[in-house]
Amino acid sequence: MVDFRKVLFLFLFSNCILFLTAQNIRKMSIDEMFEIADLCSRSVRTYRIAEEEAEQAVRVAKDAKLPAIELSVSASFLGDVWLSDRDFSNGQNASMPHFGNNLALEASQIIYAGGAISNKIAVSKLQYQLAQLDKEKNRQDIRFLLVGNYLEMYKLKNQAEVYRKNIEQTRKLLSDITAKQVQGLALKNDITRYELQLKSLELALTQIQNGILIANDQLVTVLGLPQETIIDVDTCLLDKLPELSGELYWQESALTASPDLQQMKLSIKQSHYNEKIIKSERLPSLALIAGDHFDGPITIEVPPINKNLNYWYVGIGLKYDIGSIYKSGKKVRQARLSMQKAVEKDLLLQENIHMNVKEAYIRFREAFTVYDTQEKSLELAEQNYKVINNRYLNDLALITDMLDASNSKLSAELQVVNARINILFNYYKLKKASGNL
């Protein structure tokens, strides 16, 4: 009975371990990975906060349209008064009410400021849009980083499978050669040679497995998942490859969708508004003002009157900076140069994006050619394998010939899968270059 309980406990414990291990393995597609990154990536969250900060700055800028209201209250101790002639002779002291109080309430509402307020609000809105585009650029950068690691891990797993098959075949070959060596039909040197080959294959497999672990760690970290999570790639993603559309489509798409180009257009607008803000310094500002003062004692009389004095006022205030007549001209020229620089940078950026899209498109198109070539190579390798296999079964070929044919077939299969993966990678690279990732 005790033994049965031990067996049952071990069985349940092992099942729990397997269940927990299975929980850590998470199979996800590229689209699912992108969704998780948008929600959980620390980098994306940082830029999202920056976007919210810029949005709040717009609200702050709009507050300049609201009336300004100031309230001041004070209480003070007043010392006695000392009077004298203008030459400081005949000085004498005079008593002074010692308690002083002041209450002032003032309000002002800007009516006209030369467009400075509205232009500053427009600039803050542009900065908010720039922050949104910064977030979009970072989002696409994160996606491209993820898809690169994801497809690289797919490649490495395929390579690991090929190396495992090669290791299995090499071990089988070693076993056959060892048996022949016992019979005196093979040399010790042959065994040593294949033992070295086996060790080389095992080392390469270890390096590939380490590469998978590194890629998995980078994916997990960027996605914000627990470190023990193991990501399993979706093998169905190669079932349907993207279509090879024309270059013109991608070039036109880049002109409208590229966050870099959109940011540059906004920078030009921002330079235009900055010039308007500088020009507004030459114009007067007009404001409605109102206030109420409650002071005591009345110290403008001699002797002072120990009473409170309350007065209020409403009116219009005009303010003009005379120095702007000779100061703002240089600032305006500087703002115009800044706008010209932004326009030139926009044209330069268009050229660079055009070249980047063209390069990415050429590589994308090339990937299809490579895939067709690798498919033909696989077809030839399969034909060669069938021929060698028939000859081997009829004792017309050596086992080494069979091993070489099998390795060639496995390598060709690997290259076909890698070629399909390269098509996907270059497709996402083209989307990134055109700003559509």
Side-chain angles (χ1 to χ4, degrees), residues 26 49 138 201 319 407 417:
R26 184 164 183 173
I49 293 173
N138 175 257
L201 291 172
K319 184 178 180 181
N407 289 339
V417 175

Side-chain angles (χ1 to χ4, degrees), residues 260-261 263-272 274 334-350:
D260 290 320
L261 278 178
Q263 281 190 320
M264 192 55 63
K265 300 296 183 186
L266 292 177
S267 295
I268 295 174
K269 288 184 179 180
Q270 188 173 357
S271 298
H272 177 67
N274 286 335
Q334 182 184 10
R336 287 174 180 171
L337 289 173
S338 177
M339 179 181 293
Q340 292 177 11
K341 182 178 70 173
V343 171
E344 291 297 327
K345 289 177 68 176
D346 177 56
L347 296 174
L348 177 61
L349 182 60
Q350 289 184 41

Side-chain angles (χ1 to χ4, degrees), residues 49-81:
I49 293 173
E51 178 190 10
E52 294 174 358
E53 180 185 12
E55 185 180 13
Q56 187 63 31
V58 175
R59 299 189 182 99
V60 172
K62 288 181 178 180
D63 286 345
K65 291 184 175 181
L66 300 177
I69 302 176
E70 296 181 358
L71 173 66
S72 63
V73 180
S74 66
S76 58
F77 177 83
L78 304 177
D80 290 335
V81 177

Side-chain angles (χ1 to χ4, degrees), residues 41-138:
S41 172
R42 188 178 300 276
S43 179
V44 173
R45 287 202 304 270
T46 301
Y47 279 87
R48 188 181 297 122
I49 293 173
E51 178 190 10
E52 294 174 358
E53 180 185 12
E55 185 180 13
Q56 187 63 31
V58 175
R59 299 189 182 99
V60 172
K62 288 181 178 180
D63 286 345
K65 291 184 175 181
L66 300 177
I69 302 176
E70 296 181 358
L71 173 66
S72 63
V73 180
S74 66
S76 58
F77 177 83
L78 304 177
D80 290 335
V81 177
W82 183 74
L83 300 175
S84 71
D85 294 336
R86 296 287 297 190
D87 60 358
F88 301 101
S89 61
N90 299 321
Q92 58 180 338
N93 291 326
S95 61
M96 179 78 170
H98 294 301
F99 177 73
N101 58 273
N102 172 266
L103 173 64
L105 179 65
E106 294 183 340
S108 63
Q109 173 66 59
I110 296 178
I111 302 174
Y112 176 75
I117 295 177
S118 59
N119 288 323
K120 287 180 180 179
I121 293 174
V123 169
S124 64
K125 289 180 178 179
L126 290 176
Q127 290 174 342
Y128 171 55
Q129 295 177 35
L130 288 170
Q132 289 179 312
L133 291 172
D134 278 335
K135 185 187 73 172
E136 178 62 23
K137 284 170 57 179
N138 175 257

Side-chain angles (χ1 to χ4, degrees), residues 5-253:
R5 288 179 178 177
K6 287 183 179 180
V7 172
L8 180 61
F9 173 79
L10 290 173
F11 175 77
L12 294 175
F13 178 76
S14 62
N15 281 342
C16 289
I17 295 296
L18 291 174
F19 176 73
L20 291 174
T21 304
Q23 276 189 319
N24 292 334
I25 299 176
R26 184 164 183 173
K27 186 172 184 178
M28 64 177 65
S29 65
I30 292 179
D31 291 336
E32 291 171 346
M33 184 173 61
F34 287 168
E35 292 176 1
I36 295 174
D38 290 343
L39 294 174
C40 303
S41 172
R42 188 178 300 276
S43 179
V44 173
R45 287 202 304 270
T46 301
Y47 279 87
R48 188 181 297 122
I49 293 173
E51 178 190 10
E52 294 174 358
E53 180 185 12
E55 185 180 13
Q56 187 63 31
V58 175
R59 299 189 182 99
V60 172
K62 288 181 178 180
D63 286 345
K65 291 184 175 181
L66 300 177
I69 302 176
E70 296 181 358
L71 173 66
S72 63
V73 180
S74 66
S76 58
F77 177 83
L78 304 177
D80 290 335
V81 177
W82 183 74
L83 300 175
S84 71
D85 294 336
R86 296 287 297 190
D87 60 358
F88 301 101
S89 61
N90 299 321
Q92 58 180 338
N93 291 326
S95 61
M96 179 78 170
H98 294 301
F99 177 73
N101 58 273
N102 172 266
L103 173 64
L105 179 65
E106 294 183 340
S108 63
Q109 173 66 59
I110 296 178
I111 302 174
Y112 176 75
I117 295 177
S118 59
N119 288 323
K120 287 180 180 179
I121 293 174
V123 169
S124 64
K125 289 180 178 179
L126 290 176
Q127 290 174 342
Y128 171 55
Q129 295 177 35
L130 288 170
Q132 289 179 312
L133 291 172
D134 278 335
K135 185 187 73 172
E136 178 62 23
K137 284 170 57 179
N138 175 257
R139 174 173 166 270
Q140 295 199 25
D141 289 341
I142 293 296
R143 287 187 168 193
F144 188 65
L145 173 66
L146 289 171
V147 78
N149 285 321
Y150 186 88
L151 295 177
E152 179 65 21
M153 188 161 63
Y154 199 154
K155 279 186 178 181
L156 291 173
K157 288 188 175 183
N158 285 326
Q159 291 179 11
E161 184 64 26
V162 170
Y163 273 93
R164 289 190 189 97
K165 291 180 179 179
N166 276 297
I167 288 171
E168 181 182 351
Q169 291 178 348
T170 303
R171 286 174 178 168
K172 181 180 178 181
L173 180 60
L174 265 174
S175 177
D176 292 342
I177 293 178
T178 302
K180 289 183 178 181
Q181 196 264 343
V182 173
Q183 299 172 4
L185 300 177
L187 299 175
K188 178 66 176 176
N189 185 49
D190 294 333
I191 297 176
T192 303
R193 183 179 63 180
Y194 284 105
E195 284 178 344
L196 289 173
Q197 182 181 353
L198 178 61
K199 290 298 181 182
S200 177
L201 291 172
E202 289 175 344
L203 175 59
L205 178 61
T206 301
Q207 292 173 336
I208 290 172
Q209 289 173 337
N210 289 336
I212 293 173
L213 291 176
I214 293 172
N216 184 84
D217 180 71
Q218 291 177 348
L219 287 175
V220 167
T221 302
V222 175
L223 292 173
L225 299 175
Q227 288 297 315
E228 62 274 9
T229 304
I230 298 175
I231 295 178
D232 189 14
V233 297
D234 182 13
T235 56
C236 297
L237 65 91
L238 297 181
D239 293 343
K240 185 177 181 181
L241 294 176
E243 296 180 358
L244 182 60
S245 53
E247 180 187 352
L248 181 61
Y249 164 78
W250 294 103
Q251 293 289 0
E252 292 178 347
S253 178

Side-chain angles (χ1 to χ4, degrees), residues 384-416:
N384 179 66
Y385 177 80
K386 290 178 181 179
V387 171
I388 298 299
N389 185 46
N390 290 331
R391 294 179 62 186
Y392 177 74
L393 294 176
N394 293 312
D395 295 327
L396 298 176
L398 299 175
I399 189 173
T400 53
D401 297 330
M402 184 64 191
L403 181 61
D404 291 339
S406 178
N407 289 339
S408 297
K409 178 174 174 293
L410 289 174
S411 177
E413 291 173 349
L414 172 64
Q415 293 304 322
V416 168

Side-chain angles (χ1 to χ4, degrees), residues 263-378:
Q263 281 190 320
M264 192 55 63
K265 300 296 183 186
L266 292 177
S267 295
I268 295 174
K269 288 184 179 180
Q270 188 173 357
S271 298
H272 177 67
Y273 282 117
N274 286 335
E275 182 180 350
K276 285 186 174 182
I277 291 173
I278 293 172
K279 287 182 177 179
S280 66
E281 295 178 359
R282 296 177 175 179
L283 301 174
S285 62
L286 191 64
L288 289 175
I289 57 174
D292 186 271
H293 286 256
F294 184 80
D295 302 321
I298 304 172
T299 58
I300 58 175
E301 295 289 338
V302 180
I305 302 174
N306 193 18
K307 290 186 178 182
N308 293 317
L309 175 66
N310 182 78
Y311 63 94
W312 60 272
Y313 57 88
V314 294
I316 297 178
L318 180 67
K319 184 178 180 181
Y320 182 71
D321 183 10
I322 298 177
S324 64
I325 297 175
Y326 54 86
K327 289 181 180 179
S328 61
K330 298 176 182 178
K331 295 181 180 179
V332 171
R333 285 192 292 272
Q334 182 184 10
R336 287 174 180 171
L337 289 173
S338 177
M339 179 181 293
Q340 292 177 11
K341 182 178 70 173
V343 171
E344 291 297 327
K345 289 177 68 176
D346 177 56
L347 296 174
L348 177 61
L349 182 60
Q350 289 184 41
E351 292 178 357
N352 291 334
I353 289 179
H354 175 81
M355 290 187 295
N356 291 336
V357 171
K358 188 173 188 65
E359 179 184 357
Y361 178 78
I362 291 174
R363 296 303 181 190
F364 180 49
R365 188 176 58 190
E366 179 185 89
F368 283 92
T369 304
V370 172
Y371 173 60
D372 293 338
T373 303
Q374 295 299 338
E375 274 198 322
K376 185 63 177 179
S377 298
L378 175 60

